[in-house]
Amino acid sequence: MKRSLLLVALLVLLGTAGMAQKKSKKDYLITISTPQGTMRLVLFEDTPKHRENFLKLVKDKFYDGTTFHRVIDGFMIQGGDPNSKDDDPHNDGAGSPGKTIPAEILPHHKHVYGALAAARMGDQMNPKRESSGSQFYLVENQEGVPFLDNQYTVYGQVIDGLSVIDKIAEQPKDYRDRPTTDIKMKVTADKMPKKKITKLYGYRYE
C-alpha cells in the first residue's frame, strides 16, 4: 500500500514538473509607437525578471509619454526615463522608477541589430550590473555592437519596424545626444498565439 502511495506521489510530481517545463503557446507582442513609425518586439522568456518588469510598466502605462532621450546614429537609441515626461530636458537620463532589476546577462543573447537591452549605471557604482528599473535601449547598428555583449542584459528583440530605429537615430540632436524635438512613445502589449506572431512577422521561437 505504501509503495503504491509513493508511486502515485512520484507520478504526480513528475507530471507537475512536466507541466512547469512546458512552454506557453502564447506570447506578448510589444508595440512601440513613435512619430517616426511603429516597432514591434518580443521579450525573451529566459530573462523573466526583466520581462515581468517591462510588462508591468507597459500595463501601468508608465512608458506612455516618455521619450527616446538619447540617440546615437550607428549605435543605439535609448528611452524609458520618467524624467523625460517633464519640461526640463536637462534631467533626461537621470530618472528611474526607484528600483533596479538584478542582472540576467546570458551569453546567447547578443547585441544584434534591433536587440532590446537594459540601461544601467557603470561597473564602479554598480558592480553587480543591475539594470535600470525602466530605461532601455535598442541597438541601431546593423552589424550589432558585440563589445557590449555580456556587459548588459539583453531581454528582447525588435521583429518588425527595424527601419524606425534608424529614423529615430538620424534625428537632429544637441551636444548631449538628446533629440532637439521630443520623440515620444506609446507602448502596448497584446497577448497572441506564438504561431500567429511567427506568421505575421517571421520570428521563430526556439
Side-chain angles (χ1 to χ4, degrees):
M1 182 67 177
K2 287 185 178 180
R3 284 186 178 180
S4 298
L5 289 174
L6 285 172
L7 180 59
V8 170
L10 180 60
L11 289 173
V12 169
L13 286 172
L14 288 173
T16 303
M19 289 176 66
Q21 291 176 359
K22 187 177 180 180
K23 292 185 178 180
S24 172
K25 293 183 178 181
K26 291 187 176 183
D27 195 12
Y28 285 96
L29 181 70
I30 306 299
T31 301
I32 301 179
S33 303
T34 74
Q36 285 70 34
T38 300
M39 296 170 280
R40 293 180 175 84
L41 307 82
V42 292
L43 305 175
F44 298 146
E45 294 176 339
D46 57 0
T47 51
K49 295 183 178 66
H50 285 73
R51 176 186 171 92
E52 180 182 353
N53 180 67
F54 194 92
L55 287 172
K56 184 180 186 305
L57 293 176
V58 172
K59 182 179 179 181
D60 293 342
K61 300 187 183 302
F62 176 93
Y63 287 121
D64 293 359
T66 62
T67 73
F68 282 100
H69 63 270
R70 183 170 176 243
V71 302
I72 302 176
D73 193 15
F75 184 30
M76 61 90 220
I77 60 175
Q78 183 174 336
D81 181 358
N83 285 357
S84 65
K85 291 184 179 183
D86 64 27
D87 296 327
D88 181 5
H90 300 288
N91 65 10
D92 291 2
S96 80
K99 64 178 179 180
T100 57
I101 309 300
E104 294 180 299
I105 300 171
L106 301 174
H108 58 281
H109 290 323
K110 306 294 186 183
H111 281 78
V112 298
Y113 183 33
L116 165 68
R120 66 174 178 84
M121 300 290 287
D123 287 0
Q124 287 188 337
M125 297 180 63
N126 178 28
K128 292 184 179 180
R129 296 179 174 174
E130 294 181 339
S131 300
S132 163
S134 65
Q135 292 194 46
F136 63 88
Y137 59 93
L138 300 171
V139 174
E140 191 263 338
N141 192 314
Q142 296 190 17
E143 302 300 320
V145 284
F147 65 90
L148 294 182
D149 290 346
N150 303 312
Q151 306 292 320
Y152 296 77
T153 297
V154 175
Y155 63 101
Q157 177 66 39
V158 174
I159 60 174
D160 182 63
L162 287 166
S163 63
V164 177
I165 306 177
D166 301 333
K167 291 176 182 177
I168 293 174
E170 293 166 357
Q171 295 303 301
K173 60 184 184 178
D174 63 19
Y175 68 97
R176 295 176 299 126
D177 296 319
R178 185 188 187 280
T180 54
T181 300
D182 285 353
I183 302 173
K184 293 185 178 183
M185 70 180 83
K186 180 179 180 181
V187 187
T188 59
D190 299 293
K191 200 168 190 178
M192 63 176 61
K194 290 180 177 178
K195 286 185 177 180
K196 185 174 181 179
I197 293 175
T198 298
K199 183 177 180 179
L200 290 174
Y201 305 108
Y203 180 77
R204 297 193 176 279
Y205 292 89
E206 294 181 359

